[in-house]
Amino acid sequence: MNVSARLEAQQKKIILPILPTTTIGSFPQTLELRKVRREYKANKMSEGEYVKAIKEEISKVVKLQEELDIDVLVHGEPERNDMVEYFGEQLSGFAFTVNGWVQSYGSRCVKPPIIYGDVSRPKPMTVFWSTLAQSLTKRPMKGMLTGPVTILNWSFVRNDQPRFETCYQIALAIKDEVEDLERAGINIIQIDEAALREGLPLRKSGQASYLNWAVHSFRITNCGVQDTTQIHTHMCYSNFNDIIHSIIDMDADVITIENSRSDEKLLSVFHEGVKYGAGIGPGVYDIHSPRIPLTQEISDRINKMLGVLESRILWVNPDCGLKTRKYSEVEPALTNMVAAAKLIRAQLAISK
């Protein structure tokens, strides 16, 4: 089934308004939350106490999103240290240093995994938290995963076999997780590929081969799901215009993608005549700034998007995850984002 037909089938099951609102996945990682994870890792907190604390955080995030009237919710990822490290710690074939920190951007540092052997998934990694979050709301809850290409590109990779073979192994492990989430009743699953563009070889002679196996890796992760299970992906902070056809070939149902920080350069590719039939959410505000965007500013940005994209495929969301922000910034920003979406919905209804 092609993506347009899948989106129709998904809409009958999920039932979303036009211009549905969502966020990318993470909510603020507070000092208290980091303390909980740190104490649990140091065996200063029992598993029961840890689970209770994370449940309380998820409940708070779900309640906040309902109060803000966001359409598709996330659980906020309070249990995750980093979007790659979290999965690497649960997959076979990965090792970690204790203090091998690498600067990611600004003052943010990460500990990239070391892939030393064949990759497999011993047991479910996210199903418990995703199903818990879904049980707290009647609104659709996204299952949140990191894609194989991003896990590969943000790791130190074994060099005794081609990178694509390792990537296919990771893809098969993520495929197991995707299908377990689907069986657990999660109808929307986001498989982030934030680093897909980042891994593009500098030499043009190697770019076509890379994009071929990178796209194939992503498609492996969700090739077994039903057409009514909606597959999202997210890409952030890069120039995607030159690989837009590969992004289309990924065949995701919905892509959320950075747009506002790069001054809406992404939209230029659609001005140039590229046809895009899947759902797409070009970010409406920059989460790397503490500045709170105004409702009118966001609605103006949505109207610019509607100049090149059909309303039936457009989603409204921030540029990226919210883990680096404070709740004092996140709540008013999301309030204005939802208000802007409702304003444009009303305008579209009047114009019909």
Side-chain angles (χ1 to χ4, degrees), residues 41 81-90 96-97 101 110-113:
K41 192 171 185 177
N81 42 18
D82 172 76
M83 65 183 293
V84 172
E85 184 176 358
Y86 177 78
F87 290 96
E89 288 176 335
Q90 300 182 78
F96 287 85
T97 62
W101 298 98
V110 296
K111 285 189 298 176

Side-chain angles (χ1 to χ4, degrees), residues 44 48 107 111 142 155 176 194 224 239 254 257 280 321:
K44 295 180 180 179
S107 61
K111 285 189 298 176
K142 286 196 285 190
S155 300
D176 290 342
N239 180 8
V254 178
I257 193 165
I280 185 168

Side-chain angles (χ1 to χ4, degrees), residues 153-167:
N153 285 336
W154 287 351
S155 300
F156 296 110
V157 185
R158 59 188 289 191
N159 59 10
D160 62 329
Q161 66 181 19
R163 287 174 68 87
F164 73 83
E165 290 188 17
T166 304
C167 200

Side-chain angles (χ1 to χ4, degrees), residues 47 79-80 86-92 120-131 144-145 172-184 186:
E47 184 174 3
E79 77 287 6
R80 303 186 190 185
Y86 177 78
F87 290 96
E89 288 176 335
Q90 300 182 78
L91 293 168
S92 297
S120 62
R121 187 200 67 149
K123 60 182 180 180
M125 302 178 286
T126 66
V127 176
F128 175 80
W129 299 117
S130 290
T131 52
M144 302 299 306
L145 305 173
L172 289 169
I174 299 299
K175 178 178 184 289
D176 290 342
E177 188 73 14
V178 167
E179 292 171 7
D180 276 348
L181 283 168
E182 182 184 58
R183 279 190 288 269
I186 303 299

